[in-house]
Amino acid sequence: MLSRRNALKAGVTTGMVGGAGLLVPYLPHAAADTSGTADAGTPGPTATGTVPPAVIPQFAVPLTVPPVLSPTSTSATTDYYTVTMQKAYTTIVPGTKTEVYTYNGSFPGPTIKARFQRRVVVKQINNLGTPVSVHLHGGNVPQDSDGSPMNLIAPGGARNYTYPNDQDNATLWIHDHAHHMESENVYRGLTSLYLLCDDLERSLPLPGGEYDVPLILRDGRFGANGQLIYELDDHLLRNTILVNGRPWPYFQVAARKYRFRILNGSNSRIFSLALSDGTSFVQIGSDGGLLEKPNATANLMLSPGERADVVIDFSRYPIGTRLVLTNPGMPGPPEIGQVLRFDVTRTAPDPSEVPDRLGELAAPQLATVNRSFVLRMDEDGRPNAAAYINDKTYDANRIDTQIAWGTTEVWTVSNANQYAPHNFHLHQVQFRVLERNGKAPDPSEGGLKDTVRLFPGEAVKLLITFDSYEGVYPYHCHLFDHGAMGMMGNMQIS
Ligand code: C2O
Ligand code: CU
Ligand code: CU
């Protein structure tokens, strides 16, 4: 049970229980004590507990879009990029400068645009003063470029990551993965989009150019001095929503269709997105690329690490309309119920269309191996709470799952917790969701996925084919705080 002490500590008050019987309180397990956790003593810019909370107005700043990174050189086969990880300062709390961790000084980092079967090599230089590992989330890449937790770049060091881009169009992303530090490193800003485009996507008349807009969503907790406050598993006190690094921005749109690439880049927050007028929008893609056909929906659930491409048609609104992207019914303080405001300010021509068919997914292979994975964490308020997969915490040197190359498997993944939500992410592969709680999944989960949410008591069946690179890759809960508490395992494909 959730103890009163911990409930108070985590600021659990009202608004905890959402609709549909799915949403339950996020449990404040480890908030109690992180002092004994290895590596947790790395000081952030702010000593926690002493700084009064920031007051940040909503819808007071315009949305900005991260810059697109230009290659430093190109060859017949390859685009070469150089990225420097460094601290930078940005304004989030009015009148202050927030210290953030960045790729190339940008918060979030610059977007890399890649093309199918054209190689990308990124030289990452670590000027942060803390070890890092750079992971391409959703990317099918060789082990030595995967950016796994133990494959670190020391402070002052650099390394090249090679991405073959031998997979379908997809909205991928880059983030830190340094073992035990990824949670804080990503929280402080190490996040970038990586858009992989192919001929199929290019042939479709979807909204493009300035009408194809990334929305990187996350939460955070700020002190009045402007600094980000990081405490392990502190999700209920993270009361500020950032979109592309700006607090609750407004976005002036034309009365036409836009494509939005939405990434949930939060450590722990699950978003349940809706428009304030209750109307539907059209989901066209998920983690691993475009869906087979568009999915009209009024609500979109995204757990940390998941992506969705959606099209919103603002032509149905008169000029002057203000429409809010909301996050109703989710646990946390009331401010987190708002995300972004769209202000319809002008007309514009719109030659774009959402075709009835967006793509074709490969026929599922027949599975010959079944496995099960039980996700669980201590949620009884004990100090130094840990998190487990099949009752084990992560050991970087242990192989948990041995996979024969070429095999197709069904993985049944379940959440054995009473309060804590989880999700499940595998490196290297895109999978299909066969079932959620014994039923066919919702169309939003019908495409290629690399991360799947699991509320307490839920179970999913995943169909996964391991027929690309051999090697050792991790799988884990993508609520980064849980990964840092041990909810991670290794698979060896050979
Ligand atoms: Cu988003 Cu192990 O990664
Ligand atoms: Cu990943
Ligand atoms: Cu989890």
Side-chain angles (χ1 to χ4, degrees):
M1 265 307 290
L2 179 61
S3 77
R4 169 172 302 206
R5 183 178 67 92
N6 280 285
L8 291 174
K9 192 161 269 181
V12 180
T13 49
T14 54
M16 294 283 295
V17 182
L22 268 181
L23 310 179
V24 299
Y26 289 32
L27 192 85
H29 23 259
D33 183 301
T34 57
S35 55
T37 309
D39 304 333
T42 305
T46 306
T48 57
T50 51
V51 184
V55 178
I56 307 175
Q58 295 186 325
F59 313 127
V61 293
L63 181 79
T64 52
V65 171
V68 174
L69 195 62
S70 302
T72 41
S73 67
T74 61
S75 74
T77 57
T78 308
D79 294 332
Y80 297 89
Y81 294 89
T82 305
V83 172
T84 303
M85 287 170 272
Q86 60 196 75
K87 289 180 183 169
Y89 298 85
T90 183
T91 293
I92 294 164
V93 180
T96 68
K97 292 271 185 210
T98 303
E99 183 186 285
V100 288
Y101 293 0
T102 71
Y103 295 114
N104 268 7
S106 164
F107 177 78
T111 299
I112 291 179
K113 291 198 172 177
R115 277 167 46 196
F116 180 63
Q117 288 185 337
R118 185 170 169 78
R119 194 164 48 182
V120 163
V121 176
V122 185
K123 179 179 187 183
Q124 291 278 4
I125 302 166
N126 178 8
N127 283 351
L128 270 176
T130 183
V132 296
S133 175
V134 183
H135 172 56
L136 177 62
H137 178 125
N140 178 18
V141 304
Q143 182 188 325
D144 60 354
S145 284
D146 184 48
S148 66
M150 308 310 283
N151 212 342
L152 300 172
I153 312 176
R159 67 172 293 167
N160 288 332
Y161 293 86
T162 299
Y163 304 131
N165 298 314
D166 201 4
Q167 65 189 94
D168 293 341
N169 67 77
T171 298
L172 307 179
W173 66 298
I174 285 174
H175 64 76
D176 188 67
H177 219 309
H179 179 45
H180 241 304
M181 291 305 296
E182 70 269 65
S183 183
E184 179 163 2
N185 289 350
V186 176
Y187 184 80
R188 296 202 181 280
L190 290 180
T191 302
S192 271
L193 276 183
Y194 184 102
L195 305 181
L196 173 53
C197 183
D198 60 12
D199 288 344
L200 165 74
E201 182 183 17
R202 205 181 299 250
S203 73
L204 300 174
L206 297 168
E210 65 177 294
Y211 305 109
D212 177 358
V213 179
L215 299 177
I216 302 172
L217 314 184
R218 57 162 292 181
D219 62 3
R221 176 183 168 201
F222 293 87
N225 60 1
Q227 300 314 307
L228 268 167
I229 298 171
Y230 177 76
E231 284 187 40
L232 188 69
D233 213 22
D234 186 32
H235 46 265
L236 288 170
L237 294 180
R238 293 174 188 157
N239 61 355
T240 302
I241 303 294
L242 304 180
V243 185
N244 297 346
R246 320 233 64 204
W248 298 284
Y250 63 84
F251 183 39
Q252 297 187 329
V253 295
R256 54 155 287 160
K257 289 189 279 308
Y258 281 71
R259 174 179 184 177
F260 294 107
R261 321 255 192 163
I262 307 175
L263 159 67
N264 182 352
S266 300
N267 280 50
S268 299
R269 177 163 301 289
I270 298 172
F271 283 95
S272 172
L273 299 170
L275 291 170
S276 52
D277 66 350
T279 57
S280 294
F281 42 88
V282 178
Q283 183 193 2
I284 59 170
S286 62
D287 301 339
L290 293 171
L291 301 175
E292 288 194 301
K293 47 185 201 287
N295 169 41
T297 178
N299 179 271
L300 187 70
M301 186 85 73
L302 279 185
S303 68
E306 288 186 287
R307 288 86 68 207
D309 280 25
V310 305
V311 172
I312 302 179
D313 189 353
F314 297 103
S315 72
R316 62 188 185 227
Y317 300 109
I319 309 295
T321 301
R322 290 175 161 188
L323 187 72
V324 178
L325 183 65
T326 63
N327 177 40
M330 299 305 280
E335 306 90 286
I336 60 91
Q338 321 282 315
V339 177
L340 164 73
R341 193 182 70 201
F342 298 110
D343 296 350
V344 185
T345 58
R346 61 193 188 276
T347 58
D350 189 2
S352 73
E353 275 170 52
V354 178
D356 295 337
R357 269 312 309 150
L358 296 163
E360 199 81 52
L361 297 178
Q365 314 264 330
L366 198 66
T368 54
V369 175
N370 291 282
R371 301 181 196 268
S372 60
F373 297 84
V374 178
L375 312 183
R376 180 175 67 78
M377 69 192 298
D378 298 327
E379 54 181 358
D380 55 4
R382 73 181 74 182
N384 300 320
Y388 314 86
I389 298 180
N390 290 345
D391 296 321
K392 289 184 179 140
T393 58
Y394 180 58
D395 176 346
N397 299 313
R398 185 183 68 223
I399 300 298
D400 299 281
T401 305
Q402 188 69 53
I403 295 163
W405 185 90
T407 311
T408 294
E409 306 197 350
V410 172
W411 287 21
T412 301
V413 187
S414 56
N415 177 348
N417 274 108
Q418 194 177 356
Y419 302 108
H422 300 298
N423 70 11
F424 194 70
H425 167 59
L426 289 89
H427 286 213
Q428 207 224 63
V429 291
Q430 294 287 337
F431 53 76
R432 303 289 297 274
V433 181
L434 295 178
E435 284 180 18
R436 170 175 292 282
N437 305 326
K439 299 198 207 81
D442 181 82
S444 62
E445 296 184 308
L448 294 174
K449 294 283 292 168
D450 56 50
T451 307
V452 61
R453 67 174 190 273
L454 286 149
F455 283 104
E458 288 200 298
V460 290
K461 274 194 199 313
L462 312 177
L463 183 75
I464 317 167
T465 300
F466 298 93
D467 62 355
S468 104
Y469 303 104
E470 298 189 0
V472 177
Y473 294 83
Y475 49 82
H476 55 91
C477 177
H478 216 285
L479 281 68
F480 280 121
D481 292 336
H482 298 178
M485 293 161 74
M487 197 176 280
M488 176 148 21
N490 280 318
M491 58 183 175
Q492 178 164 40
I493 306 162
S494 57

